[in-house]
Amino acid sequence: MDNINDLILHLLVILPPILIALTVHEAAHALVADWRGDPTARLRGRLSLNPLKHLDVMGTLAFIITAIAGAGIGWAKPVPVDHRNLKNPQHDHMLISAAGPVSNLLTAVAIGLIYHLLFALKVFPTNSLGLVYLGQSMQMAVWINVVFACFNLIPIPPLDGSGVVAGFLPPHLADRYYGISRYGMLIILALILLPSWIPGFPSILRPLVLYPAAWLVHHIMGMI
């Protein structure tokens, strides 16, 4: 029974940060796409901070399961972009891609600042169960947003990092690069699963995601 209660409490701590990370990420894509001339996402209701507009059931479950395991990797419904409406398609797609991870990093910094302010006001530490929950959830929000940003910056299509890299490539090379997207999810799943399945298999995600994320979280939570 204690294990079940602990799991429920942990879910209550991580669910709000997950919803915040996914929602901010996708809304940022929609915002920049609209700014650069494509109203598709806005017209489909994706320029919104309502999580229900963005959630993908499997992606959210993956996020919850991996967050419990200590990482926090998942996905939401892709924001639709019609490149024909963009002012400068290749450059603008790079900005749209970068908007998601950047929004998560800014969210992490904002939550970290609020946490430090509450700490300075002696709201934390506390014996109040509600405030303990709030503090843990805020710390988790910093971690999840940073991990989500670092993960999405991996330059494997369809992750956002590929859109950033493609923005610096000649159009013909960018098209070939995006051709990897048909195998992208398989590559990503292999990077996640193989190190735990095959003894000695190198974990590429640790240096690409977890180590940078740990460094960023350390500095965000150590701002004062």
Side-chain angles (χ1 to χ4, degrees):
M1 183 63 70
D2 288 342
N3 289 337
I4 294 176
N5 290 337
D6 289 344
L7 177 60
I8 292 173
L9 181 60
H10 190 55
L11 287 174
L12 290 175
V13 168
I14 67 174
L15 278 176
I18 287 172
L19 293 178
I20 290 171
L22 290 173
T23 301
V24 167
H25 185 98
E26 299 304 328
H29 285 318
L31 178 64
V32 175
D34 191 56
W35 168 53
R36 299 308 299 166
D38 178 32
T40 305
R42 173 170 54 81
L43 295 175
R44 295 188 185 181
R46 300 297 301 278
L47 187 53
S48 169
L49 292 178
N50 178 358
L52 297 179
K53 298 288 187 179
H54 306 290
L55 294 185
D56 175 273
V57 175
M58 293 304 297
T60 305
L61 286 175
F63 214 147
I64 292 171
I65 292 170
T66 57
I68 290 174
I73 296 171
W75 61 90
K77 291 186 292 187
V79 168
V81 178
D82 188 340
H83 291 80
R84 295 172 297 181
N85 295 328
L86 298 175
K87 300 170 184 177
N88 183 337
Q90 187 172 8
H91 175 264
D92 293 344
H93 183 68
M94 178 176 64
L95 294 178
I96 294 167
S97 298
V102 169
S103 70
N104 287 124
L105 292 175
L106 292 176
T107 299
V109 171
I111 293 173
L113 286 172
I114 295 171
Y115 180 88
H116 287 308
L117 176 61
L118 294 176
F119 195 89
L121 294 174
K122 302 188 184 302
V123 174
F124 304 134
T126 178
N127 292 323
S128 166
L129 182 60
L131 290 175
V132 168
Y133 160 78
L134 175 62
Q136 291 177 347
S137 193
M138 292 178 72
Q139 292 178 60
M140 184 62 70
V142 172
W143 172 252
I144 287 177
N145 273 278
V146 171
V147 169
F148 198 43
C150 292
F151 178 75
N152 273 281
L153 284 173
I154 296 175
I156 299 174
L159 296 179
D160 295 327
S162 63
V164 175
V165 171
F168 295 100
L169 298 176
H172 68 285
L173 290 180
D175 289 340
R176 291 185 180 181
Y177 179 45
Y178 281 130
I180 303 173
S181 61
R182 71 188 71 177
Y183 311 109
M185 289 309 299
L186 291 175
I187 296 172
I188 293 165
L189 286 173
L191 293 178
I192 294 172
L193 297 175
L194 289 180
S196 61
W197 288 354
I198 302 175
F201 192 92
S203 175
I204 298 176
L205 290 184
R206 287 185 182 274
L208 288 182
V209 177
L210 296 182
Y211 294 160
W215 184 86
L216 286 167
V217 170
H218 172 74
H219 283 79
I220 291 171
M221 297 309 293
M223 286 184 289
I224 61 172

